[in-house]
Coordinates of all heavy atoms in Angstrom, one line a residue:
N5 N 2.4 13.2 -20.0 CA 2.1 13.6 -18.7 C 0.9 12.8 -18.1 O 0.9 12.5 -16.9 CB 1.8 15.1 -18.6 CG 3.0 16.0 -18.8 OD1 4.1 15.6 -18.4 ND2 2.9 17.1 -19.3
E6 N -0.1 12.5 -19.0 CA -1.2 11.7 -18.6 C -0.8 10.3 -18.2 O -1.2 9.8 -17.1 CB -2.2 11.7 -19.7 CG -3.5 10.9 -19.4 CD -4.4 10.8 -20.6 OE1 -4.7 11.9 -21.1 OE2 -4.8 9.7 -21.0
I7 N 0.1 9.7 -19.0 CA 0.6 8.4 -18.6 C 1.4 8.4 -17.3 O 1.2 7.5 -16.5 CB 1.4 7.8 -19.8 CG1 0.5 7.6 -21.0 CG2 2.1 6.5 -19.4 CD1 1.3 7.3 -22.3
F8 N 2.2 9.4 -17.2 CA 3.0 9.5 -16.0 C 2.1 9.7 -14.7 O 2.3 9.0 -13.7 CB 4.0 10.7 -16.0 CG 4.7 10.9 -14.7 CD1 5.7 10.1 -14.3 CD2 4.3 12.0 -13.9 CE1 6.4 10.3 -13.1 CE2 5.0 12.2 -12.7 CZ 6.0 11.3 -12.3
T9 N 1.1 10.5 -14.8 CA 0.2 10.7 -13.7 C -0.5 9.4 -13.3 O -0.6 9.1 -12.1 CB -0.8 11.8 -14.1 OG1 -0.1 13.0 -14.3 CG2 -1.8 12.0 -12.9
R10 N -0.9 8.6 -14.3 CA -1.6 7.4 -14.0 C -0.6 6.4 -13.4 O -1.0 5.6 -12.5 CB -2.2 6.8 -15.3 CG -3.4 7.5 -15.8 CD -3.9 7.0 -17.0 NE -5.2 7.6 -17.3 CZ -6.0 7.1 -18.3 NH1 -5.7 6.1 -19.0 NH2 -7.1 7.8 -18.5
L11 N 0.6 6.3 -13.9 CA 1.6 5.4 -13.3 C 1.9 5.8 -11.8 O 2.0 5.0 -11.0 CB 3.0 5.5 -14.1 CG 3.0 4.8 -15.4 CD1 4.3 5.1 -16.2 CD2 2.9 3.3 -15.2
E12 N 2.1 7.1 -11.6 CA 2.3 7.6 -10.3 C 1.2 7.3 -9.3 O 1.4 6.8 -8.2 CB 2.5 9.1 -10.4 CG 2.9 9.8 -9.0 CD 3.1 11.3 -9.2 OE1 2.3 11.9 -9.9 OE2 4.1 11.8 -8.6
R13 N -0.1 7.4 -9.8 CA -1.2 7.1 -9.0 C -1.3 5.6 -8.7 O -1.6 5.2 -7.6 CB -2.5 7.6 -9.7 CG -3.8 7.4 -8.9 CD -5.0 7.8 -9.5 NE -5.2 7.2 -10.8 CZ -5.5 7.8 -12.0 NH1 -5.7 9.1 -12.0 NH2 -5.6 7.1 -13.1
D14 N -1.0 4.8 -9.7 CA -1.0 3.3 -9.5 C 0.1 2.9 -8.5 O -0.1 1.9 -7.8 CB -0.7 2.6 -10.9 CG -1.8 2.6 -11.8 OD1 -3.0 3.0 -11.4 OD2 -1.7 2.2 -13.0
M15 N 1.1 3.7 -8.3 CA 2.2 3.3 -7.4 C 2.0 4.0 -6.0 O 2.8 4.0 -5.2 CB 3.5 3.7 -7.9 CG 3.9 2.8 -9.1 SD 5.6 3.1 -9.7 CE 5.4 4.7 -10.5
G16 N 0.8 4.6 -5.8 CA 0.5 5.2 -4.5 C 0.8 6.7 -4.4 O 0.7 7.2 -3.3
G17 N 1.4 7.3 -5.4 CA 1.7 8.7 -5.4 C 3.0 9.0 -4.6 O 3.5 8.1 -3.9
D18 N 3.4 10.2 -4.6 CA 4.6 10.7 -3.9 C 5.8 9.7 -4.0 O 6.2 9.2 -3.0 CB 4.3 11.0 -2.4 CG 5.3 11.8 -1.7 OD1 6.1 12.5 -2.4 OD2 5.5 11.7 -0.5
L19 N 6.2 9.6 -5.3 CA 7.3 8.6 -5.6 C 8.7 9.1 -5.1 O 9.0 10.2 -5.2 CB 7.3 8.3 -7.1 CG 6.1 7.8 -7.7 CD1 6.3 7.6 -9.2 CD2 5.6 6.5 -7.1
P20 N 9.5 8.1 -4.7 CA 10.9 8.5 -4.5 C 11.5 8.9 -5.9 O 11.0 8.5 -6.9 CB 11.6 7.1 -4.1 CG 10.5 6.2 -3.7 CD 9.2 6.7 -4.4
E21 N 12.5 9.7 -5.9 CA 13.1 10.2 -7.1 C 13.4 9.1 -8.2 O 13.1 9.3 -9.3 CB 14.3 11.1 -6.8 CG 14.9 11.8 -8.0 CD 13.9 12.8 -8.6 OE1 13.0 13.3 -7.9 OE2 14.0 13.1 -9.8
A22 N 14.0 8.0 -7.7 CA 14.4 7.0 -8.7 C 13.2 6.4 -9.4 O 13.2 6.2 -10.6 CB 15.2 5.9 -7.9
K23 N 12.2 6.1 -8.6 CA 10.9 5.6 -9.3 C 10.3 6.6 -10.2 O 9.7 6.3 -11.2 CB 10.0 5.1 -8.2 CG 10.3 3.8 -7.6 CD 9.2 3.2 -6.8 CE 9.6 1.8 -6.4 NZ 8.5 1.0 -5.8
S24 N 10.4 7.9 -9.8 CA 9.8 9.0 -10.6 C 10.5 9.0 -11.9 O 9.9 9.2 -13.0 CB 9.9 10.3 -9.9 OG 9.4 11.3 -10.6
I25 N 11.8 8.9 -11.9 CA 12.6 9.0 -13.1 C 12.3 7.8 -14.1 O 12.1 8.0 -15.3 CB 14.2 8.9 -12.8 CG1 14.6 10.3 -12.2 CG2 15.0 8.6 -14.1 CD1 15.9 10.3 -11.6
I26 N 12.2 6.6 -13.5 CA 11.8 5.4 -14.3 C 10.4 5.6 -14.8 O 10.1 5.2 -16.0 CB 12.0 4.1 -13.4 CG1 13.4 3.9 -13.1 CG2 11.4 2.9 -14.2 CD1 13.7 2.8 -12.2
A27 N 9.5 6.1 -14.0 CA 8.1 6.3 -14.4 C 8.0 7.3 -15.6 O 7.3 7.1 -16.5 CB 7.2 6.7 -13.3
K28 N 8.8 8.4 -15.5 CA 8.9 9.3 -16.6 C 9.4 8.7 -17.9 O 8.8 9.0 -19.0 CB 9.7 10.5 -16.2 CG 9.1 11.4 -15.2 CD 10.1 12.5 -14.8 CE 9.5 13.3 -13.6 NZ 10.4 14.3 -13.0
R29 N 10.4 7.9 -17.8 CA 10.9 7.2 -19.0 C 9.9 6.2 -19.5 O 9.7 6.1 -20.8 CB 12.3 6.5 -18.7 CG 13.4 7.4 -18.3 CD 13.6 8.7 -19.1 NE 14.6 9.6 -18.6 CZ 14.3 10.6 -17.8 NH1 13.1 10.8 -17.3 NH2 15.2 11.4 -17.4
S30 N 9.2 5.6 -18.7 CA 8.2 4.6 -19.1 C 7.1 5.3 -19.8 O 6.5 4.9 -20.8 CB 7.6 3.9 -17.8 OG 8.6 3.2 -17.2
A31 N 6.7 6.5 -19.3 CA 5.6 7.3 -20.0 C 6.1 7.7 -21.4 O 5.3 7.6 -22.3 CB 5.3 8.5 -19.1
N32 N 7.3 8.1 -21.5 CA 7.8 8.4 -22.8 C 7.8 7.3 -23.8 O 7.4 7.4 -24.9 CB 9.3 9.0 -22.7 CG 9.3 10.4 -22.3 OD1 8.8 11.3 -23.0 ND2 9.9 10.7 -21.2
L33 N 8.2 6.1 -23.3 CA 8.2 4.9 -24.2 C 6.8 4.5 -24.5 O 6.5 4.0 -25.6 CB 9.0 3.8 -23.5 CG 10.5 3.9 -23.5 CD1 11.2 2.8 -22.7 CD2 11.1 4.1 -24.8
A34 N 5.9 4.6 -23.5 CA 4.5 4.2 -23.8 C 3.9 5.1 -24.9 O 3.2 4.6 -25.8 CB 3.7 4.2 -22.5
A35 N 4.2 6.4 -24.8 CA 3.6 7.3 -25.8 C 4.3 7.0 -27.2 O 3.6 7.1 -28.2 CB 3.9 8.7 -25.4
L36 N 5.5 6.7 -27.2 CA 6.2 6.3 -28.5 C 5.5 5.1 -29.1 O 5.2 5.0 -30.3 CB 7.7 6.1 -28.2 CG 8.5 5.6 -29.5 CD1 8.4 6.6 -30.6 CD2 9.9 5.4 -29.1
C37 N 5.3 4.1 -28.2 CA 4.6 2.9 -28.7 C 3.2 3.2 -29.3 O 2.8 2.7 -30.3 CB 4.4 1.8 -27.6 SG 5.9 1.0 -27.1
E38 N 2.5 4.1 -28.6 CA 1.2 4.5 -29.1 C 1.3 5.2 -30.4 O 0.4 5.0 -31.3 CB 0.5 5.4 -28.1 CG 0.0 4.7 -26.8 CD -0.6 5.6 -25.8 OE1 -0.7 6.8 -26.0 OE2 -1.1 5.1 -24.8

Side-chain angles (χ1 to χ4, degrees):
N5 288 332
E6 180 181 306
I7 294 169
F8 173 75
T9 299
R10 288 180 173 189
L11 286 171
E12 185 178 42
R13 186 179 56 226
D14 285 351
M15 292 184 289
D18 195 24
L19 301 178
E21 187 64 22
K23 284 192 174 190
S24 181
I25 290 168
I26 294 172
K28 286 175 187 173
R29 299 313 174 267
S30 298
N32 278 300
L33 288 176
L36 176 58
C37 287
E38 288 178 357

